[in-house]
Amino acid sequence: MADLLFVAIFLAGFGVLFWYVVAAPRSQVLGKTLVCGPPDSGKIALTFDDGPGEATPLILDILKKAGIRATFFLCGQNVERFPIYARRIAEEGHEIGNHTYSHPRFLWKTPGRIAWEIERAQNVIAHHTGRQPKLFRPPYGIRWFGLFPILNRNQMRVIMWSVNSKDWRSPAPRIVSRVLRGVTPGAIILLHDGVPPHQSGDRNGTVEAVGEIVGTLGERYRFVPVSEMR
Ligand SMILES: [Zn+2]
């Protein structure tokens, strides 16, 4: 009986540790990951994942009006669906990162599949925007064996986040309060302007929240693209 309990505790502990290694935003075990910028800079970064999508032009309008540049981690498949929005992101001076072609979980994926996802997205983004992303954000935040050598080969680095807005499952007021509560100097804020390929939903809550976040935090911080954090 005591043996069984020991095994159960060992397995549970191993599970928690394993999940930390591959999925915790702060984990540096599999490779170097940027979570936030220097705390003394007075800068923060808005980052938008899974786009482009129907909400992208609305978010671009808000950013343009506020004179703010952000970072967009694009899915290759969504760039093919909304090439005009992808081009607009680039033309308006925002930073573009790679968020894979089809948004898979990397868990248990082979290095070959991971490389295909990253390099195909890289080609699609370059074709439609003229940019070669240097930043990468893994879908669901999951890093896996073989990922970092592929990124090194493409001279790309992983950007995670310090504030998770959970905007894909929250109404605007909850998104705003989560971001305002979590923000610190150097914060990298996770938001979504699109929906992953083959999934459904809308980003109306995000659009509403971004207007308020930008208005409130603009008085205290300077918004910069992630690569201008340092
Ligand atoms: Zn995503």
Side-chain angles (χ1 to χ4, degrees):
M1 197 62 199
D3 286 356
L4 269 178
L5 187 67
F6 178 77
V7 170
I9 290 171
F10 176 79
L11 287 177
F14 182 78
V16 169
L17 186 69
F18 177 78
W19 196 245
Y20 175 85
V21 166
V22 301
R26 280 168 202 286
S27 166
Q28 307 282 329
V29 179
L30 292 178
K32 196 165 176 289
T33 293
L34 183 69
V35 177
C36 62
D40 56 355
S41 64
K43 297 175 186 170
I44 56 175
L46 295 179
T47 65
F48 295 92
D49 287 12
D50 300 354
E54 267 132 31
T56 305
L58 303 173
I59 288 169
L60 287 173
D61 287 346
I62 296 168
L63 298 177
K64 193 182 207 172
K65 208 169 151 206
I68 286 170
R69 288 185 306 133
T71 303
F72 289 80
F73 290 93
L74 305 181
C75 288
Q77 227 167 353
N78 282 344
V79 171
E80 290 173 338
R81 285 176 68 203
F82 302 101
I84 293 170
Y85 300 161
R87 204 170 316 132
R88 197 182 143 189
I89 292 170
E91 280 168 3
E92 296 188 4
H94 299 288
E95 182 164 51
I96 292 178
N98 180 324
H99 194 45
T100 72
Y101 180 71
S102 70
H103 205 269
R105 276 189 177 77
F106 281 163
L107 221 51
W108 314 115
K109 296 283 188 292
T110 63
R113 173 72 200 284
I114 294 173
W116 184 89
E117 281 286 340
I118 293 170
E119 286 162 8
R120 177 146 188 197
Q122 202 74 348
N123 291 339
V124 171
I125 292 168
H127 176 75
H128 288 284
T129 69
R131 304 270 193 91
Q132 283 283 349
K134 290 286 166 212
L135 309 181
F136 178 75
R137 177 170 281 161
Y140 310 99
I142 292 173
R143 286 138 290 167
W144 195 245
F145 304 94
L147 169 64
F148 283 89
I150 294 159
L151 294 175
N152 291 341
R153 193 165 77 208
N154 288 278
Q155 296 166 324
M156 302 171 80
R157 60 186 184 134
V158 170
I159 308 298
M160 299 295 279
W161 55 84
S162 62
V163 181
N164 186 346
S165 71
K166 299 189 179 167
D167 59 336
W168 69 91
R169 60 167 207 218
S170 312
R174 291 271 301 279
I175 300 169
V176 172
S177 67
R178 208 172 272 129
V179 169
L180 297 188
R181 219 173 39 234
V183 76
T184 52
I188 297 175
I189 300 167
L190 170 65
L191 293 150
H192 298 77
D193 65 317
V195 178
H198 315 297
Q199 293 182 32
S200 57
D202 67 66
R203 296 294 177 241
N204 299 339
T206 307
V207 173
E208 204 184 318
V210 167
E212 229 178 298
I213 290 166
V214 160
T216 309
L217 294 181
E219 294 164 12
R220 282 191 276 152
Y221 298 103
R222 199 152 71 79
F223 289 95
V224 294
V226 168
S227 62
E228 291 176 25
M229 266 296 198
R230 282 160 202 285

